[in-house]
């Protein structure tokens, strides 16, 4: 009745396109993938080798803190998980993408990766 399956597909396509933009702009984002609104970005030390960060690395810990400080609750390991509710709006996805872009950028800057 509410079209949640169709909505999740449409919003998921929009979200994944935005996450692909992070792959293009951040040296620590190696890949973005997803199905519907279940998405993730792979965090890497080196895009050419796809070497991942350790879950307990200082970079991952700092990125997790920065994302949480911006009021986005998610898991940040070597994969950063994104799974908004099925009723998420395009404006809310834009906010998620902004939070991720700013947080990743700040962490990269602090660790001299930009």
């Amino acid at each position: 009745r509410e079209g949640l399956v169709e909505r999740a597909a449409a919003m998921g396509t929009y979200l994944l396109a935005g996450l692909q933009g992070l792959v293009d702009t951040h040296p620590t984002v190696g890949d973005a993938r997803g199905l519907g609104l279940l998405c993730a970005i792979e965090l890497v030390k080196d895009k050419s080798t796809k070497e991942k960060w350790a879950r307990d690395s200082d970079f991952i810990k700092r990125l997790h803190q920065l994302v949480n400080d911006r009021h986005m609750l998610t898991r940040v390991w070597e994969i950063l998980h994104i799974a908004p509710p099925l009723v998420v709006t395009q404006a809310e996805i834009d906010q998620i993408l902004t939070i991720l872009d700013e947080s990743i950028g700040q962490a990269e800057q602090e660790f001299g990766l930009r």
Side-chain angles (χ1 to χ4, degrees):
R1 178 172 46 102
E2 295 176 357
L4 293 179
V5 172
E6 297 81 11
R7 179 174 186 69
M11 291 294 103
T13 298
Y14 183 77
L15 175 58
L16 189 55
L19 295 175
Q20 289 292 339
L22 298 178
V23 174
D24 297 335
T25 58
H26 290 282
T28 60
V29 179
D31 190 26
R33 54 188 173 267
L35 179 62
L37 285 169
L38 296 175
C39 294
I41 55 176
E42 183 178 20
L43 300 167
V44 296
K45 289 182 180 182
D46 184 327
K47 281 189 182 187
S48 62
T49 65
K50 297 286 188 175
E51 180 185 359
K52 295 180 183 178
W53 293 95
R55 284 187 186 184
D56 62 346
S57 70
D58 289 339
F59 178 81
I60 294 297
K61 288 177 184 177
R62 180 63 175 144
L63 179 56
H64 189 230
Q65 179 185 18
L66 291 168
V67 170
N68 283 339
D69 287 350
R70 289 174 171 86
H71 308 289
M72 181 176 161
L73 300 177
T74 189
R75 277 187 291 195
V76 182
W77 297 340
E78 69 276 10
I79 303 290
L80 191 150
H81 304 87
I82 304 106
L86 298 179
V87 295
V88 69
T89 65
Q90 189 169 332
E92 290 167 331
I93 289 175
D94 290 340
Q95 185 177 11
I96 289 168
L97 295 170
T98 297
I99 288 169
L100 294 175
D101 185 38
E102 290 175 353
S103 299
I104 294 167
Q106 183 176 342
E108 288 171 344
Q109 186 174 23
E110 289 178 12
F111 283 80
L113 302 168
R114 286 207 118 188

